[in-house]
Amino acid sequence: DKSIKKAASELCGDFSQSSTHITGLRLIRQDPWECFLSFLCSQNNNIPRITLMIDKLCKTFGTKLGTLETDEGGIVLYSFPTIKQMKIVTEKDLQDLGFGYRAKYVVAAVSELEKKELGILWLNSLREKERREVQRELLAFIGVGQKVADCVSLFSLDKLDVVPVDTHVFQIAQRYLPALSGQKSVNKTTYDTIGDFFRVSFGDSAGWAHTVLFAAELTVFGAKKAKAKGEVKETTKSLKATKAKGEVKREKVSKATKTKGGVEEEKTKNPIKSKTIKSERKVKKEEITNISVKTEVKAEENKEAMSTTKRKVEASERIDDLRRYPKRERKETVTFAISDKK
């Protein structure tokens, strides 16, 4: 329905982000026998302890292959024990190696495979069968549940649409499927619902996508994802800040343009203020005109004063000349004197 499709779309988005920041992750095609026994050891267990248990199993019952020289010394390598080598192994042997209650599952599985007509090759033949049939066949073994059966199917039997559901995958599904939010544990119906949800989201590659999302939930990979999210968040914040700065800058430019535009903008926003500014501008203009007139009058007065001074100097020089040269006509002197008085 629509809600499932929407949830599937959101899950695909989360997968896209996880796959970008978790590089180098591979979905292996392991030997079915080795994969089967390894996952029998995985129940209620963690990866470091499972690794330790398998390492002890190989050293104790496998065949020595040689020594790998490293900077820290030589590492002795052993093969994974064959079904023939495991036939002599007892529950006590495995318990002594730290297998606990899982010891009986391993011994029982070896016994069941020995009874098969194809023996260990029977596991390989499951690659040719359909996903649901493979799950039914594996669930027949003691200690094998849906998750172990699906892990073996996905990692060794070419069933890439299988989705093993553990605590991590259950929590992922709860984030997208509201119907699962109140559930505390996984039952068969819930298990199938989650698998179908992943298949709707990723089709025949659901198992591969599940592996990427599962890895993203682990601490070692989760830190990378969180860091990447933090970087994206910082980049988003930076972009927002830059955008905000740009808007502020544009606002300042806009204000400057409006101020430059003068009274016209002010008129639109505040008519009363505009009228006051206009009156002030008019008064200012009148004051400038008055100053200009006063300047012109002053210039005329200065010009007149200079002209009078010049005439007085000329008159004084003329009188001196008459005193020096008395033979000149008196008429000229009188005429000048009269002219000076004017």
Side-chain angles (χ1 to χ4, degrees):
D1 60 22
K2 289 183 178 180
S3 61
I4 293 294
K5 287 182 179 179
K6 182 182 177 182
S9 176
E10 292 173 354
L11 179 63
C12 287
D14 194 13
F15 167 81
S16 178
Q17 187 179 59
S18 297
S19 61
T20 302
H21 304 294
I22 302 176
T23 57
L25 195 63
R26 298 290 182 269
L27 189 63
I28 64 172
R29 189 177 188 257
Q30 199 172 11
D31 175 75
W33 159 248
E34 183 178 336
C35 187
F36 182 52
L37 245 63
S38 297
F39 276 103
L40 278 175
C41 303
S42 70
Q43 298 182 57
N44 297 316
N45 218 338
N46 55 61
I47 294 173
R49 187 157 179 248
I50 295 169
T51 303
L52 182 62
M53 288 166 64
I54 299 302
D55 188 48
K56 288 180 178 179
L57 187 72
C58 294
K59 284 180 179 179
T60 308
F61 307 109
T63 302
K64 183 178 177 179
L65 300 174
T67 303
L68 177 66
E69 296 298 334
T70 67
D71 294 338
E72 298 177 357
I75 299 175
V76 182
L77 302 176
Y78 296 88
S79 68
F80 194 87
T82 64
I83 192 168
K84 188 178 291 187
Q85 289 171 319
M86 289 298 296
K87 278 173 63 176
I88 61 171
V89 178
T90 64
E91 284 186 37
K92 187 176 183 310
D93 293 333
L94 294 175
Q95 286 173 346
D96 290 343
L97 294 177
F99 277 62
Y101 67 88
R102 304 168 195 84
K104 63 181 178 182
Y105 299 155
V106 174
V107 172
V110 171
S111 177
E112 285 298 314
L113 285 171
E114 278 285 296
K115 294 175 185 177
K116 298 284 184 184
E117 186 177 346
L118 295 174
I120 197 173
L121 294 178
W122 174 81
L123 283 172
N124 298 61
S125 70
L126 295 178
R127 286 176 171 167
E128 307 302 321
K129 297 185 178 181
E130 192 267 335
R131 164 175 66 85
R132 294 181 186 84
E133 186 178 355
V134 172
Q135 190 185 73
R136 283 194 297 271
E137 293 278 11
L138 293 176
L139 286 173
F141 287 83
I142 297 173
V144 176
Q146 280 183 296
K147 188 191 81 171
V148 170
D150 283 350
C151 283
V152 176
S153 297
L154 176 62
F155 299 121
S156 69
L157 300 177
D158 303 339
K159 302 297 175 280
L160 301 182
D161 60 341
V162 165
V163 180
V165 179
D166 68 345
T167 302
H168 296 296
V169 179
F170 178 48
Q171 290 171 349
I172 292 170
Q174 284 183 310
R175 293 201 291 266
Y176 299 97
L177 299 176
L180 303 180
S181 59
Q183 291 192 25
K184 304 282 186 183
S185 59
V186 180
N187 54 36
K188 187 179 185 309
T189 301
T190 302
Y191 191 101
D192 293 338
T193 298
I194 294 172
D196 291 339
F197 172 53
F198 271 78
R199 281 182 281 276
V200 167
S201 303
F202 303 104
D204 293 339
S205 299
W208 171 68
H210 138 278
T211 304
V212 174
L213 290 166
F214 169 82
E217 295 293 305
L218 301 178
T219 304
V220 63
F221 293 113
K224 291 183 180 180
K225 186 178 176 183
K227 183 181 178 183
K229 280 186 175 180
E231 289 172 354
V232 170
K233 192 174 181 181
E234 285 300 317
T235 303
T236 304
K237 283 172 70 178
S238 177
L239 288 172
K240 285 183 178 178
T242 304
K243 185 180 177 184
K245 282 182 180 178
E247 289 174 352
V248 170
K249 190 174 181 181
R250 284 196 296 273
E251 188 178 347
K252 285 182 179 178
V253 171
S254 178
K255 284 182 178 178
T257 305
K258 288 175 183 177
T259 304
K260 220 171 183 181
V263 180
E264 288 74 17
E265 185 67 24
E266 290 292 335
K267 269 185 184 177
T268 308
K269 292 189 175 179
N270 194 337
I272 297 173
K273 190 175 180 181
S274 175
K275 192 173 180 181
T276 304
I277 291 171
K278 188 175 180 181
S279 299
E280 288 175 354
R281 284 170 64 86
K282 187 176 179 182
V283 170
K284 193 75 176 175
K285 189 176 181 181
E286 288 175 356
E287 288 176 355
I288 292 169
T289 304
N290 290 336
I291 291 169
S292 179
V293 171
K294 287 178 181 179
T295 303
E296 290 175 3
V297 170
K298 191 73 176 174
E300 285 294 326
E301 289 176 351
N302 290 340
K303 188 177 179 181
E304 185 70 26
M306 288 178 68
S307 179
T308 302
T309 303
K310 185 177 180 182
R311 287 196 298 272
K312 285 181 178 180
V313 169
E314 288 175 350
S316 177
E317 290 175 350
R318 178 67 65 180
I319 291 167
D320 288 340
D321 286 343
L322 289 172
R323 284 174 181 170
R324 289 174 187 171
Y325 308 102
K327 290 183 178 182
R328 287 185 181 181
E329 296 180 3
R330 302 296 295 177
K331 185 178 179 181
E332 184 183 8
T333 306
V334 174
T335 303
F336 180 79
I338 294 169
S339 175
D340 183 59
K341 284 181 181 180
K342 288 179 181 179

